């Protein structure tokens, strides 16, 4: 029963992300003139600045870790409230919309080079961060369902106890390790790949 619910949760997350991705692409195409302004997202000046700037990897690592850990803590705490389910679903849609907008702008501005740039921007940390965030969102859905849903006809809170807290805590800690490792890769490995990708612009 729990495994089946987890599988459904994974499909729901994927559907929501794809809906958000479609909406992001749609927004960019509807407001094409606004997004494609010279001072807009991923403009030539921005890429030129990225090419000429010297990146401090230690500073980048600190910034990324603070941002991601803060996000994880906020999302996980909200998931434990009664409004957690719609908030988590909205966050997944937001991620999809953001990805759709950035991807569309990159492709419209630069064509195949834009695709290469986008691929370089998420590699190789995406190998860790994408599964990490997926597991985090599944964790949030499962936590909310167990707190406020029904399991085998009984209220989810009936099953709460030290074992529940310990089990969820261990899983969240494992997710944090995955995402933290992704932050290390994003800070110290990805910049080198981005420098290579920026040479085509």
């Amino acid at each position: 029963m729990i495994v089946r619910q987890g599988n459904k949760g994974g499909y729901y997350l994927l559907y929501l992300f794809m809906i958000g991705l479609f909406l992001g692409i749609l927004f960019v195409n509807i407001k094409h003139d606004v997004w494609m302004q010279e001072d807009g997202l991923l403009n030539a000046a921005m890429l030129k600045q990225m090419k000429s700037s010297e990146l401090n990897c230690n500073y980048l690592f600190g910034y990324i870790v603070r941002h991601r850990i803060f996000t994880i803590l906020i999302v996980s705490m909200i998931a434990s409230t009664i409004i957690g389910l719609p908030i988590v679903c909205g966050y997944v849609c937001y991620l999809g919309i953001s990805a759709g907008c950035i991807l569309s702008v990159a492709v419209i501005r630069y064509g195949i080079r834009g695709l290469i740039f986008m691929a370089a921007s998420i590699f190789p940390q995406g190998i860790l961060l994408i599964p990490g965030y997926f597991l985090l969102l599944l964790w949030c859905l499962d936590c909310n369902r167990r707190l406020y849903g029904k399991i085998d006809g009984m209220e989810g809170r009936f099953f709460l106890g030290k074992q529940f807290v310990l089990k969820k805590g261990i899983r969240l800690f494992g997710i944090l390790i995955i995402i933290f490792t992704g932050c290390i890769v994003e800070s110290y490995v990805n910049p080198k790949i981005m420098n290579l990708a920026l040479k085509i612009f």
Side-chain angles (χ1 to χ4, degrees):
M1 177 68 177
I2 295 176
V3 174
R4 186 164 64 248
Q5 289 291 338
N7 291 336
K8 287 183 179 179
Y11 287 124
Y12 292 152
L13 291 177
L14 181 60
Y15 295 152
L16 287 171
F17 182 82
M18 294 305 295
I19 290 171
L21 187 69
F22 172 78
L23 290 175
I25 294 172
L26 187 63
F27 291 158
V28 172
N29 283 276
I30 290 176
K31 295 291 185 178
H32 181 273
D33 295 338
V34 175
W35 288 90
M36 294 300 114
Q37 292 179 359
E38 291 186 4
D39 58 347
L41 183 65
L42 296 180
N43 59 73
M46 182 185 297
L47 294 184
K48 184 178 180 180
Q49 184 178 5
M50 291 175 64
K51 290 173 66 175
S52 59
S53 62
E54 293 184 7
L55 186 62
N56 186 327
C57 293
N58 292 328
Y59 176 82
L60 178 64
F61 174 70
Y63 172 81
I64 290 174
V65 167
R66 288 194 300 269
H67 173 74
R68 298 202 187 282
I69 297 301
F70 177 78
T71 300
I72 291 169
L73 293 177
I74 293 297
V75 172
S76 59
M77 285 191 294
I78 291 177
S80 65
T81 67
I82 197 168
I83 62 170
L85 183 59
I87 296 297
V88 170
C89 292
Y91 179 64
V92 175
C93 282
Y94 164 77
L95 292 176
I97 291 172
S98 299
C101 289
I102 296 174
L103 180 63
S104 295
V105 170
V107 172
I108 292 173
R109 282 190 186 275
Y110 305 109
I112 189 65
R113 292 183 301 165
L115 284 177
I116 295 173
F117 175 83
M118 292 304 300
S121 67
I122 63 171
F123 182 82
Q125 71 272 15
I127 298 173
L128 292 166
L129 293 179
I130 293 174
Y133 271 91
F134 183 74
L135 290 173
L136 171 66
L137 294 168
L138 280 180
W139 183 95
C140 291
L141 292 181
D142 182 65
C143 181
N144 187 269
R145 182 180 65 85
R146 287 176 178 271
L147 287 171
Y148 303 103
K150 288 188 176 182
I151 302 175
D152 296 331
M154 292 182 287
E155 293 292 335
R157 279 170 286 189
F158 176 81
F159 297 92
L160 297 184
K162 292 182 179 179
Q163 185 178 1
F164 169 81
V165 175
L166 181 62
K167 187 176 181 180
K168 298 301 290 184
I170 291 173
R171 287 185 178 178
L172 184 59
F173 181 72
I175 292 169
L176 280 169
I177 291 176
I178 294 173
I179 294 178
F180 182 79
T181 306
C183 292
I184 295 174
V185 176
E186 184 176 9
S187 302
Y188 296 99
V189 179
N190 179 254
K192 298 176 182 179
I193 296 175
M194 286 296 294
N195 287 335
L196 292 175
L198 287 170
K199 290 181 179 180
I200 65 176
F201 291 92

